Amino acid sequence: MADFLADLQRHVFLQYAVITGMLAAIPCGVIGTYVVTRRITYIGGAIAHSVLAGLGAARFCQVVYNWPWLHPLYGAVIASLVSALIIGLVSLYARQREDTVIGAVWAIGMAVGILFISRTPGYNEDLMSYLFGNILMVSSDDLYLILGLDIVVILFSLLFYNKLLAVCFDEEFARVRGVRVELYYLLLLCLTALTVVLLVTVVGVVMVIALLTLPVAVASHFSNRLWLTMVLSAAFTALFTLSGLALSYGPDLPSGATTIVLAGGLYLVVAAVDAFRVRRG
Amino acid sequence: MPDPVIRLQDVSFSYNGLPVLEDVNLTVEEGDFVSVVGPNAGGKTTLLKLILGLLRPAQGSVRVFGLSPAKARPRIGYMSQQTTFDYLFPVSVLDVVLMGRLGHGSGLGFYGRADREAAGQALRRMEMEPLASRPFSQLSGGQRQRVLLARALASDPDLLLLDEPTANVDAAIETELFEILNELNRHMTIMLVTHDLGFVSCYVRSVVCVNRRLAVHPTSSITGEMIHELYGGNVQMVRHDHRCSEEGHSWRTS
């Protein structure tokens, strides 16, 4: 911990990591709250895994076609939006079982990503770091992209707060009040997709679903209002990410996994205290 | 002559080829208090959803205030069934009532002062203002019902539609609810769906029976201690033996 604080002043990559953690926390808290209350966690999981297709395809084009400007994270943004729209449109308009579609997008996205990575010449270890996350690898370019995503997600969720709340709580009533429910549901899924891309840089594809839900689950114990849950979730996300980073730095542990274990641990403690209270009445 | 509040002409609707409503004709005039009764799966809720424009008829036309249901929505207040809510959802009573204000103003950002005033007024009308900041999940069944009614009233509607407002509440609360509705009926047309087949509140002016087809019945007062005890209030018996015209009976003093 002392190492971390000392090195934080010296190393730029550590400062970038801290900024990334803070920037990712806000959309994570806001969108995570919608995802948990609307009960679409598994859509978040599917989008996260399909992101690998975008990462892999972008890297493939970078190397094979020599397109250096096509950063893997751009590929991730596109892949996440495409899979969000596929899941959204299918669940709204096609008479398919929604969970089957979610599972298909989840697995196909991953498979496509692995195929691209296997066909890309050279050493692609940094792509594997997107699987389990490595917040220490964030570059200044990444940081601008992350900041841009941050602004988009926060802006949209503030502008449409009322409508998103109404659509999540009572879709039918919102429709009767003239709200274009389908549009806002798709908007919510797209915002979820962008948030997922942000979180991929922090904890990686595999653990996004945990960072999207666990802080909200903890915050829910202290809040009965949607906006308060969002604020508290963002605070908890920042706490988990930064302490995960700080604690993993000294012993050289994977930071993403440390973050998730901290989040999961606090969630279990809060849930246990709650269960104990209920039993005692 | 002004357009009737609700007019259904030769309306048919089916779910996956299964007919739910057939050749339905119905006219509801301004100021009416209509109770829609009928067995489960008889098409009551479908009728309500057609009027709200949530479903489109396979045949026939639905007009509300002379407009298509989607266009008439700003003038309709809707109280949905209580059973469909996720009670873990973190919203306060005021949050829920404010949803009734959606569709007013630009709709961007947060609710304005006019919205808060209208929501507050609707809560006062339901005597629920002291509970405005209470979580919706912590309310009793009767309190929730008042909040949902306040939400329906927050848009200041001319037509109030209620889906099973008396489900899951006891007779005392039901009586209280009908007192409120009777008061509201002075300013707005009311139509409610109920599962009670035989008896309806004494405030109801006409009864629509739906079981795939539709019939309009009058109500006739009955008295008797037994019924009073059974239902905890004054009730009227629906005369299923008698068939009225589509317009029902002329109960207005004209």
Side-chain angles (χ1 to χ4, degrees), chain A residues 244-273:
Chain A
L245 183 62
L247 290 174
S248 64
Y249 186 74
D252 196 22
L253 293 168
S255 61
T258 312
T259 300
I260 297 304
V261 168
L262 283 173
L266 188 60
Y267 169 64
L268 289 180
V269 169
V270 171
V273 169

Side-chain angles (χ1 to χ4, degrees), chain A residues 5 23 41 106 118 137 165 249-250 278 280:
Chain A
L5 291 175
L23 284 180
T41 306
W106 187 306
S118 77
M137 291 205 5
L165 167 61
Y249 186 74
V278 169
R280 295 202 29 186

Side-chain angles (χ1 to χ4, degrees), chain B residues 126-148:
Chain B
M126 294 296 115
E127 294 164 14
M128 288 294 289
E129 210 186 18
L131 301 181
S133 55
R134 187 78 66 84
F136 185 61
S137 55
Q138 288 177 13
L139 301 183
S140 70
Q143 288 172 329
R144 263 179 211 153
Q145 200 154 36
R146 283 162 171 263
V147 171
L148 293 178

Side-chain angles (χ1 to χ4, degrees), chain B residues 156-189:
Chain B
D156 203 11
D158 298 316
L159 168 64
L160 186 60
L161 298 175
L162 308 97
D163 195 359
E164 300 262 11
T166 53
N168 305 320
V169 293
D170 59 43
I173 293 175
E174 184 174 333
T175 309
E176 210 176 78
L177 180 83
F178 274 99
E179 301 278 347
I180 296 169
L181 290 179
N182 185 45
E183 180 70 27
L184 291 170
N185 188 218
R186 287 203 228 162
H187 315 285
M188 60 187 79
T189 312

Side-chain angles (χ1 to χ4, degrees), chain A residues 159 162 170 172 177 225-226, chain B residues 73 76 78 90 95 109 151:
Chain A
L159 279 180
N162 293 338
D170 188 349
E172 186 181 75
R177 288 271 52 91
R225 306 289 301 280
L226 195 76
Chain B
R73 275 172 189 166
I76 305 177
Y78 173 53
D95 289 333
R151 178 174 76 159

